[in-house]
């Protein structure tokens, strides 16, 4: 005896619709949160690093905030859960296997949008320039806590060039004033 099953088009549609719903629900992750009164974004990075959505001294992601000499940062009022990013955390954020970087204007503010390839979350870094160069609107420089010498610390930089964007890690003297974007870790 041979059994055959006929599926109606409406049954197939319902099954496919449920599968799509379940897959999209499973892939949804919470990408934003708040810790100690400061918003963060989870970019889905393997280390679990959470990036603040704004610079120190800014009230929104598009405000430039304050520029600091490296030694001025230690007294940050954000709390002990927050810290400067390390060289490794910056490199992880900027890896093309984790994010893309685009020069954009958001609310009339030029800057750099970092978008996660893992979960679609975004970070905006205003092109605040630095005290050493007249480059506001075309570049952004952010302190890290990694030191290569007593007088020089690693920084994260973004530059808008005529045909491309340059982003990475470099070293700057502690006497320059730069932006600060803090990080924290996922709470267990």
């Amino acid at each position: 005896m041979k059994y055959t099953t006929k599926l109606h088009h409406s049954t197939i549609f319902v099954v496919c619709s449920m599968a799509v719903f379940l897959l999209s629900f499973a892939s949804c992750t919470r990408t934003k949160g708040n810790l100690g009164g400061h918003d963060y974004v989870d970019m889905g990075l393997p280390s679990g690093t959470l990036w603040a959505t704004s610079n120190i001294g800014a009230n929104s992601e598009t405000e430039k905030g304050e520029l600091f000499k490296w030694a001025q940062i230690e007294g940050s009022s954000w709390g002990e859960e927050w810290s400067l990013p390390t060289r490794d955390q910056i490199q992880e954020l900027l890896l093309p296997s984790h994010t893309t970087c685009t020069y954009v204007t958001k609310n009339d503010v030029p800057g750099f949008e970092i978008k996660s390839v893992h979960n679609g979350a975004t970070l905006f870094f205003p092109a605040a320039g630095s005290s050493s160069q007249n480059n506001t609107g075309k570049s952004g420089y952010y302190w890290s806590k990694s030191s290569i010498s007593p007088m020089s610390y690693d920084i994260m930089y973004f530059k808008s060039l005529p045909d491309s964007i340059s982003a990475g890690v470099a070293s700057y003297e502690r006497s320059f004033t730069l932006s600060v974007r803090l990080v924290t870790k996922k709470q267990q």
Side-chain angles (χ1 to χ4, degrees):
M1 181 179 234
K2 187 174 181 181
Y3 294 97
T4 58
T5 306
K6 289 186 177 182
L7 292 176
H8 296 287
H9 292 292
S10 60
T11 304
I12 293 171
F13 175 77
V14 169
V15 170
C16 289
S17 297
M18 288 178 60
V20 168
F21 171 76
L22 291 173
L23 286 173
S24 59
F25 181 76
S27 67
C28 287
T29 58
R30 184 174 177 198
T31 60
K32 296 184 178 192
N34 187 289
L35 180 65
H38 304 287
D39 293 335
Y40 65 80
V41 173
D42 182 351
M43 301 294 283
L45 301 171
S47 68
T49 300
L50 306 172
W51 284 80
T53 60
S54 61
N55 296 343
I56 290 182
N59 293 316
S60 72
E61 68 177 347
T62 56
E63 285 185 22
K64 295 175 185 176
E66 298 175 39
L67 298 179
F68 293 88
K69 290 183 179 180
W70 194 89
Q72 295 173 317
I73 302 165
E74 301 207 9
S76 168
S77 61
W78 280 42
E80 64 185 45
E81 302 92 358
W82 293 94
S83 67
L84 287 168
T86 64
R87 171 184 268 270
D88 290 342
Q89 289 170 317
I90 293 169
Q91 289 176 327
E92 178 186 50
L93 177 70
L94 298 178
L95 272 176
S97 59
H98 297 310
T99 61
T100 59
C101 182
T102 310
Y103 181 72
V104 299
T105 299
K106 191 171 190 174
N107 298 335
D108 295 324
V109 177
F112 302 87
E113 182 180 80
I114 308 296
K115 184 173 183 177
S116 171
V117 300
H118 303 298
N119 61 18
T122 61
L123 281 168
F124 181 77
F125 290 86
S130 73
S131 63
S132 66
Q133 301 174 25
N134 183 15
N135 50 14
T136 301
K138 293 291 182 189
S139 60
Y141 301 90
Y142 294 81
W143 285 117
S144 90
K145 69 176 169 184
S146 300
S147 170
I148 60 164
S149 77
M151 296 306 295
S152 187
Y153 278 78
D154 288 337
I155 63 159
M156 174 172 57
Y157 71 87
F158 302 98
K159 293 180 184 178
S160 174
L161 305 172
D163 296 327
S164 64
I165 294 172
S166 176
V169 178
S171 295
Y172 256 56
E173 291 181 26
R174 293 170 40 150
S175 61
F176 292 126
T177 56
L178 309 177
S179 298
V180 175
R181 181 68 62 98
L182 299 179
V183 296
T184 190
K185 288 282 195 173
K186 287 185 180 178
Q187 305 299 309
Q188 301 297 342

